């Protein structure tokens, strides 16, 4: 009966939580290619965060303000979302072409960002970050690669997603630190200085990495196209001798009947099997994908602005970069531990654990704002718990869905989660840049309310979030 139920409903959670060993569940892609994809994720994270510590001062130097610096930090993800539309149309389900596009636009974006100082043109910073945004479309492909059922077994997906989160944590630490150090050193030169040096250095790194991608990355086998699948189907002739070949209203002729794609037929059949609770799981994961990056992005954009405005701090970009980096570095051992824990812990428990830690940091921050007890130690404790908690929670958003839905859905779920991430990043960065203007209590209050909505979702759907470990 259990096997029959599993065959009838491919979305059954009973099938997904079976503990029977299956070698296919533990498969991994080519190791060199996997390392390249994880390294690409790390470089993109550094690219995203390297401007965080100095973008506020860079924008002010060229005539902008704190809100504009928040836009500079967050706008690339909007363009990443737009660029996914043509990329997914032409990628043919593969990865090498998006890698080349990402490396190319990363180099262009960093060079244009660096040239804004020489040109003395504020909006050239924005243009450079928009070009970087096209490169950031690779975030989705990195996630999709680590959950692609053609090359990754179901018990390896959360583990590989944990590696992406480690890269996320390293980028969050090393990026602001490097940006702050380069600003501190200064380099009194109109071309290579504290504002522009992050762009030039990252452009050179991407050029070298592009060579490695070209030489060593092995793409997965090309999947069959719709036309190839249709041509493989047997052709049945409906012609009958001596009969009028004109179609009657009730029976259309074979010549006028258009065969549906087998992929479309399969998708419609699977779509009809999804229950309301399963739609709820999809909505829950998309909400948390947006929520985690909204909060992380808002704090990363807000800390340099808040630290510079606070009377007991008066942070420079160097100090702000060090503070952000210190939070990421101290989280790093726990992210490594999460890599081991993911093999034996259910995804829903990792999500709940991370959310509770992050929420604790937000509540503590609100309390010290209310009591006017904000100092370096208390602020660091809040930032550390927020960074750790919501980085942990991002581990499972895509891997959980990939375990519950059929393999054919991996591309769609990757897009849904990545667009949620992009939405959180861009809105969070703008919200963080505006935090001092709107009031810090309002800033953190909105985030607590958003976490509350997420808590209602995952407690309501707790039983439906159960999947295989690993």
């Amino acid at each position: 009966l259990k096997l029959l139920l599993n065959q009838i409903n491919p979305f059954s959670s009973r099938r997904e939580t079976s503990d029977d060993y299956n070698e296919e569940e533990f498969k991994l892609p080519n190791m060199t290619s996997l390392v390249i994809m994880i390294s690409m994720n790390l470089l993109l994270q550094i690219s995203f965060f390297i401007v965080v510590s100095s973008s506020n001062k860079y924008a002010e130097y060229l005539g902008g303000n704190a809100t504009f610096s928040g836009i500079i930090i967050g706008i690339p993800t909007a363009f990443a979302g737009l660029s996914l539309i043509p990329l997914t149309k032409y990628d043919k389900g593969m990865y090498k072409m998006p890698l080349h596009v990402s490396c190319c636009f990363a180099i262009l974006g960093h060079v244009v960002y660096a040239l804004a100082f020489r040109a003395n043109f504020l909006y050239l910073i924005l243009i450079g970050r928009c070009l970087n945004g096209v490169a950031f479309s690779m975030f989705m492909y990195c996630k999709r690669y680590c959950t692609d059922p053609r090359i990754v077994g179901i018990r390896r997906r959360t583990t590989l997603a944990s590696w992406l989160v480690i890269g996320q944590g390293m980028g969050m630490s090393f990026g602001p630190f490097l940006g702050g150090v380069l600003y501190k050193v200064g380099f009194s030169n109109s071309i290579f200085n504290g504002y522009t040096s992050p762009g030039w250095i990252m452009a050179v790194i991407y050029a070298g990495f592009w060579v490695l991608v070209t030489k060593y990355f092995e793409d997965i086998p090309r999947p069959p196209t719709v036309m190839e699948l249709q041509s493989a189907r047997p052709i049945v002739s409906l012609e009958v001798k001596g009969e009028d070949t004109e179609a009657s209203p009730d029976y259309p002729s074979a010549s006028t009947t258009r065969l549906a794609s087998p992929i479309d037929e399969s998708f419609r059949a699977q779509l009809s099997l999804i229950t309301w609770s399963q739609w709820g799981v999809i909505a829950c994961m998309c909400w948390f994908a947006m929520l985690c990056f909204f909060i992380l992005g808002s704090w990363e954009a807000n800390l340099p602005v808040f630290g510079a405005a606070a009377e007991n701090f008066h942070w420079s970009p160097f100090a702000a970069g060090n503070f952000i980096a210190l939070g990421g570095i101290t989280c790093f051992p726990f992210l490594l531990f999460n890599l081991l824990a993911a093999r034996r812990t259910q995804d829903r428990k990792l999500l709940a654990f991370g959310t509770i830690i992050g929420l604790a940091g937000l509540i503590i921050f609100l309390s010290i704002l209310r009591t006017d007890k904000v100092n370096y130690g208390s602020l660091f404790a809040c930032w550390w718990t927020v960074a750790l908690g919501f980085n942990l929670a991002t581990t499972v958003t895509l891997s959980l869905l990939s375990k519950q839905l059929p393999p054919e859905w991996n591309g769609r779920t990757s897009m849904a989660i990545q667009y949620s991430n992009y939405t959180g990043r861009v809105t969070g960065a703008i919200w963080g840049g505006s935090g001092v203007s709107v009031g810090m209590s309002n800033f953190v209050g909105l985030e607590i309310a958003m976490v509350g909505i997420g808590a209602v979702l995952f407690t309501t759907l707790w039983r439906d979030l159960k999947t295989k470990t690993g």
Side-chain angles (χ1 to χ4, degrees):
L1 181 59
K2 180 179 178 181
L3 292 173
L4 180 62
L5 287 172
N6 288 338
Q7 290 177 357
I8 293 173
N9 185 1
F11 299 91
S12 172
S13 62
R14 291 187 181 91
R15 183 188 65 174
E16 298 293 348
T17 55
S18 170
D19 289 327
D20 297 337
Y21 178 81
N22 184 346
E23 187 176 349
E24 189 74 7
E25 295 180 349
F26 292 88
K27 66 181 177 181
L28 286 170
N30 173 274
M31 192 55 60
T32 303
S33 300
L34 178 60
V35 170
I36 286 175
M37 292 297 285
I38 293 174
S39 300
M40 186 62 176
N41 175 68
L42 173 60
L43 285 179
L44 292 171
Q45 296 289 353
I46 293 173
S47 290
F48 186 86
F49 291 113
I50 197 170
V51 305
V52 166
S53 54
S54 60
S55 64
N56 186 33
K57 292 290 185 181
Y58 197 6
E60 286 180 2
Y61 177 83
L62 295 175
N65 55 28
T67 301
F68 188 83
S69 74
I71 296 173
I72 291 170
I73 295 170
I75 197 66
T77 53
F79 280 79
L82 292 174
S83 61
L84 277 177
I85 298 171
L87 276 174
T88 52
K89 183 178 180 181
Y90 295 107
D91 65 16
K92 299 179 181 178
M94 302 172 78
Y95 298 93
K96 198 160 193 176
M97 185 271 283
L99 268 170
H100 287 310
V101 171
S102 182
C103 290
C104 176
F105 276 89
I107 294 169
L108 290 175
H110 282 297
V111 169
V112 172
Y113 181 87
L115 289 174
F117 186 92
R118 179 70 174 176
N120 196 28
F121 183 47
L122 174 65
Y123 290 97
L124 207 57
I125 304 176
L126 202 60
I127 295 170
R129 292 290 284 174
C130 292
L131 291 171
N132 278 148
V134 180
F136 292 160
S137 61
M138 196 64 207
F139 279 132
M140 189 278 288
Y141 288 97
C142 291
K143 290 182 175 67
R144 194 178 82 181
Y145 189 86
C146 291
T147 57
D148 195 326
R150 295 171 292 180
I151 51 176
V152 182
I154 195 171
R155 290 188 180 272
R156 296 295 192 187
R157 296 174 194 172
T158 304
T159 304
L160 294 188
S162 299
W163 277 108
L164 296 182
V165 173
I166 287 174
Q168 184 176 300
M170 291 176 66
M172 186 182 69
S173 305
F174 187 66
F177 175 74
L178 180 59
V181 168
L182 291 171
Y183 175 85
K184 181 75 171 179
V185 174
F187 306 107
S188 55
N189 185 293
S190 61
I191 300 296
F192 195 87
N193 54 54
Y195 297 130
T196 65
S197 51
W200 293 121
I201 289 173
M202 291 307 300
V204 172
I205 291 173
Y206 273 109
F209 186 76
W210 198 358
V211 173
L212 296 177
V213 168
T214 304
K215 187 173 182 179
Y216 294 109
F217 184 79
E218 296 180 11
D219 215 335
I220 63 175
R222 186 179 68 84
T225 64
V226 173
M227 294 299 295
E228 289 170 345
L229 288 171
Q230 285 183 335
S231 63
R233 302 176 73 189
I235 299 173
V236 180
S237 174
L238 300 182
E239 231 179 84
V240 181
K241 284 187 178 181
E243 295 287 340
D244 186 3
T245 56
E246 185 179 348
S248 68
D250 296 327
Y251 301 97
S253 68
S255 62
T256 59
T257 302
R258 189 169 166 268
L259 291 175
S261 162
I263 293 177
D264 293 338
E265 291 173 357
S266 174
F267 175 66
R268 284 195 293 267
Q270 292 164 358
L271 191 64
S272 65
L273 293 173
I274 300 183
T275 65
W276 284 109
S277 62
Q278 289 156 348
W279 279 117
V281 171
I282 295 172
C284 180
M285 292 301 100
C286 288
W287 177 261
F288 273 97
M290 183 277 296
L291 169 70
C292 293
F293 282 97
F294 177 86
I295 294 176
L296 290 171
S298 65
W299 275 68
E300 288 147 3
N302 177 259
L303 284 171
V305 179
F306 176 69
E311 294 181 359
N312 56 334
F313 292 141
H314 293 296
W315 283 346
S316 66
F318 177 68
N322 286 344
F323 184 85
I324 295 171
L326 185 61
I329 291 169
T330 50
C331 288
F332 188 72
F334 296 89
L335 296 179
L336 284 176
F337 177 76
N338 178 60
L339 181 65
L340 302 175
R343 299 177 183 179
R344 301 180 180 275
T345 309
Q346 289 184 14
D347 290 358
R348 59 178 180 171
K349 294 180 180 179
L350 290 174
L351 177 67
F353 181 67
T355 304
I356 290 170
I357 292 177
L359 178 61
L362 294 175
I363 293 173
I364 294 170
F365 185 53
L366 182 61
S367 66
I368 65 175
L369 285 173
R370 294 285 189 178
T371 57
D372 197 23
K373 293 182 179 179
V374 181
N375 54 46
Y376 194 95
S378 62
L379 182 60
F380 177 77
C382 297
W383 166 232
W384 182 82
T385 50
V386 166
L388 175 62
F390 292 110
N391 270 303
L392 288 176
T394 61
T395 305
V396 304
T397 49
L398 179 57
S399 62
L400 190 149
L401 285 183
S402 73
K403 294 174 183 179
Q404 289 208 352
L405 301 179
E408 297 83 4
W409 279 60
N410 189 58
R412 298 180 181 93
T413 53
S414 300
M415 289 282 284
I417 294 298
Q418 194 59 54
Y419 273 116
S420 301
N421 290 346
Y422 289 153
T423 302
R425 277 196 188 273
V426 72
T427 54
I430 296 171
W431 180 244
S434 306
V436 174
S437 302
V438 300
M440 293 302 294
S441 294
N442 295 329
F443 167 79
V444 71
L446 174 65
E447 294 174 351
I448 292 173
M450 293 173 68
V451 175
I453 294 172
V456 171
L457 283 173
F458 80 63
T459 51
T460 303
L461 298 164
W462 183 255
R463 293 183 62 186
D464 300 295
L465 294 173
K466 189 176 183 181
T467 58
K468 287 184 177 181
T469 60

